[in-house]
Amino acid sequence: TIKCALISKDGSLLYTGANSGGIKIWNIQSNTINYVTLLAGSFWNKFRSFSENNHGHLCSATVDGEIKIWDI
């Protein structure tokens, strides 16, 4: 189940986070998945939010307070 989503600042990507701890990065124009990962050690965490910055980083936060910064 998707718990949070964010469209990239340039509108080309959709980031989704699920209960499973998985992050998917979708290419909106081609409707394909660019990247999938599981948060190490966080399989049961639920996502609370995403944030993207201008330096190619995605920040994910879970309900138990775990924060990760991803190079994208």
Side-chain angles (χ1 to χ4, degrees), residues 21-72:
I23 296 174
K24 291 183 181 180
I25 302 176
W26 300 82
N27 182 313
I28 292 174
Q29 293 176 344
S30 66
N31 196 30
T32 58
I33 299 173
N34 285 0
Y35 186 71
V36 179
T37 189
L38 288 177
L39 295 177
S42 299
F43 186 77
W44 296 110
N45 288 340
K46 294 178 175 65
F47 283 97
R48 177 174 285 166
S49 65
F50 282 130
S51 179
E52 178 192 39
N53 69 18
N54 293 331
H55 305 289
H57 297 106
L58 176 70
C59 178
S60 62
T62 61
V63 295
D64 71 349
E66 182 178 2
I67 297 172
K68 292 212 176 187
I69 298 174
W70 305 87
D71 242 351
I72 52 171

